[in-house]
Amino acid sequence: MQNKARIFYDVFMIFLVMLTILTLWVDHTVNSTINVIVWLIFLIDYMIRIVLSPPRKWEFIKKNPFLLLAVIPFDQFFQVARIVRLLYLFLRIV
């Protein structure tokens, strides 16, 4: 059961990354709302991972710099950096 939940969660995160990337180049008010929602989900995920990581939080940050880049919402470059999140998920599956 836990394995199915993890797979569902990974697929959901992949969907969010694809949704963000698809809305990058279109100017519409809905796109900014989508980006904020996806950013909040990624931020919550990152914060949970830091809290649940071993006592050395700095080690977690050094080992996963791309997860940190994925939660920076400032520019389109950082939004595209969420693609790296896909690589992280695929490496975790393998």
Side-chain angles (χ1 to χ4, degrees), residues 26-85:
V26 180
D27 267 344
H28 198 275
T29 56
V30 176
N31 296 347
S32 61
T33 306
I34 290 172
N35 285 330
V36 168
I37 292 170
V38 170
W39 172 75
L40 282 172
I41 292 170
F42 274 57
L43 182 65
I44 292 168
D45 176 63
Y46 188 75
M47 297 305 287
I48 290 172
R49 288 177 189 271
I50 284 182
V51 168
L52 296 179
S53 70
R56 295 184 170 179
K57 308 297 184 201
W58 188 245
E59 292 296 321
F60 174 79
I61 294 170
K62 288 196 299 190
K63 287 182 181 177
N64 301 298
F66 294 114
L67 291 180
L68 180 60
L69 279 178
V71 298
I72 298 174
F74 299 123
D75 195 353
Q76 286 184 351
F77 168 75
F78 292 112
Q79 291 175 0
V80 173
R82 292 179 183 157
I83 293 174
V84 176
R85 181 66 189 241

Side-chain angles (χ1 to χ4, degrees), residues 3-20:
N3 193 22
K4 288 182 182 180
R6 182 177 171 182
I7 290 172
F8 174 77
Y9 179 76
D10 289 343
V11 169
F12 178 69
M13 295 302 271
I14 290 170
F15 171 75
L16 290 176
V17 170
M18 291 187 321
L19 184 66
T20 301

